[in-house]
Amino acid sequence: MKKIILSVLVLVASVSAFAEKADSKAENKSAAKSEVAMTIVSGNIIDIVTGESLVGVEVTVEGSDSKAYTDFDGHFTIKDVKAGECKLVASYTSYSKTEKTVELKSKKNQVKIELQASK
């Protein structure tokens, strides 16, 4: 009986120690993620020929899940984008896909993207 109780105590102690180690690794990873500077990118999408704002254009940050769609004024905003160089991709029905590389430095970055109707 003593051997069973001792075995259970050793098992509980080892599981507890493993759980604490896993928690500390998770905390270290989340701390490393929070150190990466995040910023906001926003701007307008217009037709290159007419200059009209385009509604419903999908704007994505290449290499991430971040995306937004333009509103009735052709304006979009994407939050929590890593600061530094990034590539924005704008796609819209009947228009050629357009890529624009921008350097995100400040907390709010403004971008103007012009789309050309596909032929």
Side-chain angles (χ1 to χ4, degrees):
M1 188 68 167
K2 289 181 183 180
K3 287 183 180 182
I4 293 174
I5 293 174
L6 183 59
S7 297
V8 170
L9 288 176
V10 169
L11 180 66
V12 169
S14 64
V15 169
S16 175
F18 178 75
E20 288 178 15
K21 187 175 181 180
D23 286 343
S24 82
K25 283 184 181 179
E27 288 174 9
N28 289 341
K29 284 183 181 179
S30 67
K33 284 183 181 179
S34 66
E35 291 176 14
V36 175
M38 301 303 269
T39 185
I40 297 172
V41 61
S42 61
N44 288 14
I45 310 283
I46 62 170
D47 181 293
I48 196 167
V49 175
T50 65
E52 293 181 20
S53 298
L54 299 173
V55 180
V57 178
E58 180 184 66
V59 184
T60 59
V61 177
E62 189 173 79
S64 77
D65 293 333
S66 300
K67 69 179 172 181
Y69 294 90
T70 55
D71 61 13
F72 287 107
D73 297 321
H75 187 265
F76 70 93
T77 300
I78 304 174
K79 297 179 181 180
D80 297 329
V81 181
K82 288 182 186 176
E85 188 175 284
C86 79
K87 187 182 290 188
L88 299 175
V89 181
S91 9
Y92 194 51
T93 305
S94 301
Y95 282 80
S96 300
K97 183 188 289 188
T98 302
E99 297 178 352
K100 185 167 188 168
T101 302
V102 293
E103 183 70 29
L104 305 177
K105 295 181 181 179
S106 63
K107 291 199 180 257
K108 291 186 178 182
N109 301 276
Q110 290 290 322
V111 177
K112 178 179 173 185
I113 300 175
E114 298 173 325
L115 297 184
Q116 184 169 7
S118 57
K119 297 179 181 181

